[in-house]
Amino acid sequence: MKKTLIALSTVLAMSSASALDIGAGYTRNVSNDVNGYGINVGQTWKQFSLTAGATRFDVAGGSHDEVSLIAGYRLLKVMGVSVEGQLGATYVTSDVAKDGLVSVLGLGVSMPVTKTVAVTANVRRNIGIDSMKVHDGTTAGLGLRYSF
């Protein structure tokens, strides 16, 4: 898990000459009543964004980890508050269920606190097919993002 996060962070940092966003947050899987925490690294280009993240959920009988790549499109920006639609994929590894890929559809909100810090919130729906239906569910997240 740590190696994946380091590699992902390095690739994203090297792929861009402009500033990156780094975030950390709390996630609640409301479908399964479990709490998680995670980190993410992202980049924004005008209305488009790309975020890679890793989240760990502690579940009964083991752990449940998710590594995601989410693309976003800003739908609205009013007084600095941005609302964006999100679409992506998450690879799930779990001690208690099958590992695999699920698609993600969501909505995110970002509100600046200072010039470099913002509060973020999102609601996302994981959608698995066939054997990955066990990972279907809704998550709600709240976090902080720091922009370099």
Side-chain angles (χ1 to χ4, degrees), residues 51-113:
T51 303
T55 305
R56 180 175 198 83
F57 293 93
D58 293 319
V59 296
S63 64
H64 174 98
D65 299 320
E66 297 182 354
V67 177
S68 60
L69 186 61
I70 307 292
Y73 180 77
R74 188 174 65 226
L75 304 170
L76 177 67
K77 187 170 185 176
V78 178
M79 296 182 357
V81 177
S82 297
V83 177
E84 77 174 11
Q86 300 172 338
L87 179 66
T90 296
Y91 187 79
V92 179
T93 57
S94 178
D95 293 341
V96 295
K98 185 174 180 171
D99 297 354
L101 197 62
V102 296
S103 48
V104 178
L105 183 63
L107 193 65
V109 176
S110 176
M111 182 178 75
V113 177

Side-chain angles (χ1 to χ4, degrees), residues 10-46:
T10 304
V11 168
L12 283 173
M14 291 176 13
S15 69
S16 174
S18 59
L20 286 175
D21 298 330
I22 294 179
Y26 163 82
T27 301
R28 173 84 175 157
N29 185 320
V30 295
S31 300
N32 299 318
D33 280 338
V34 293
N35 299 317
Y37 49 90
I39 61 169
N40 58 61
V41 177
Q43 177 67 51
T44 302
W45 301 272
K46 297 191 181 189

